[in-house]
Amino acid sequence: MDKQAAGSQSRASPRQLRRTTIDDIARAAGLAKATVSRALNGRDEVHPTTRERVLQTASELGYVPQAAAHALRTGRSRCLGLLLPSVQWPWLVDVLQGVADAVSDAGYTLLLFSTAKGEQTEREFVAKVLPSRPMDGLLLIVPPGLIPSIRDLAAHGLPVVVVDDRGHPAELPSVSSANHQGALLATRHLLGLGRRRIAVVAGPMDYGCCRDRLSGYREALDEASVAFDPSLVVDANFTMAGGRTAVASLVARDPTIDAVFAMNDLMAIGAMDVLGDRVPTEVSVVGFDDIAAAELTRPQLTTVHQPLYEMGQTAVSLALDAIEGGTTVQQNVMLPTRLVVRDSCGGQQGDQ
């Protein structure tokens, strides 16, 4: 065999490179093209046995739907967008998993966007991504500065759901956890242990979740007739370093502190670094979120469990309801929290 012939045989034929089409599936399955199309698009009038036959044939032939053609034909991309501030936030992992599982179960594709670089990426998202509308709906964990642009887009028909509401305008549908309830449970627990000088390591107070957690703390103090002392509340930034700095300054100012309620687990872990062996005999520590690291600390961290996975799933459900219904339904869903008692408080362990 000469080199030219060998070369021609080594190259794939045009038919081998061609994308599998609905026509190919129809011929292989012995069905009408219209029936195959209806089956692939999930139409109700197709018998389940026929649909399974079409899907099996499509899989065997390596059929890949043309998303762009589908979008032009139906007006939908079957994509959901998720805008994240930073994938370095530990609790985002659980939210993201809930979103990803729900999107997959619905037969959609997930598009991830991040504003981790701050204002530059926020401007690019508003100027370049949003006008192109590559998604049927958008889930947000987003800085407040983007809300006006997102709100305008929602007003023009794009289903938008805010995850972990941080004080955004109420006209956007949202999914959050019961922050006030969680802080109330945590503070009641500390008071039940006989703690009275309960310090708070707070997150930024422009976040609605932080305001709610502080109000829950104050309600528990009122119930126990313990006066609120503003000097026991110190602002931090949701990081371990912030927790260390905050508690070091608190202890230096007031060595009578006998408990710390931190508004997230990272700050609670930072607090425990500073307090050392004083936890839990002299000082009890409670966090908020119940991230995986809470069980890895020594002593293990008592914390308020947020239903993060469920928050992600619920956000997808709200968005899909709006997409399928054609209109954005105004809903603000709040999921319950619970206290997970571990070693950092002392006393009996378990959920409350």
Side-chain angles (χ1 to χ4, degrees), residues 270-280 283 298-299:
M272 290 171 65
D273 285 347
V274 172
L275 295 167
D277 292 340
R278 297 181 63 190
V279 181
V283 183
R298 292 294 180 268

Side-chain angles (χ1 to χ4, degrees), residues 31-110:
L31 297 168
K33 179 179 176 181
T35 301
V36 171
S37 178
R38 287 193 290 267
L40 291 173
N41 285 291
R43 300 282 291 274
D44 292 338
E45 62 265 33
V46 180
H47 192 278
T49 302
T50 302
R51 178 179 293 108
E52 181 61 30
R53 179 178 165 190
V54 169
L55 295 177
Q56 179 64 33
T57 304
S59 176
E60 291 172 356
L61 294 178
Y63 174 71
V64 178
Q66 292 184 330
H70 182 273
L72 288 173
R73 187 170 61 252
T74 65
R76 295 181 185 172
S77 65
R78 296 194 69 82
C79 293
L80 276 185
L82 175 61
L83 182 61
L84 305 171
S86 172
V87 294
Q88 295 179 348
W89 293 7
W91 60 266
L92 276 180
V93 174
D94 290 333
V95 174
L96 180 56
Q97 189 63 60
V99 168
D101 287 349
V103 167
S104 177
D105 289 344
Y108 275 63
T109 299
L110 180 62

Side-chain angles (χ1 to χ4, degrees), residues 195 260 268 271-286 298-301 343-346:
R195 308 301 189 181
V260 172
M272 290 171 65
D273 285 347
V274 172
L275 295 167
D277 292 340
R278 297 181 63 190
V279 181
T281 54
E282 298 176 42
V283 183
S284 296
V285 178
V286 180
R298 292 294 180 268
Q300 291 185 330
L301 178 63
D343 299 331
S344 65
C345 285

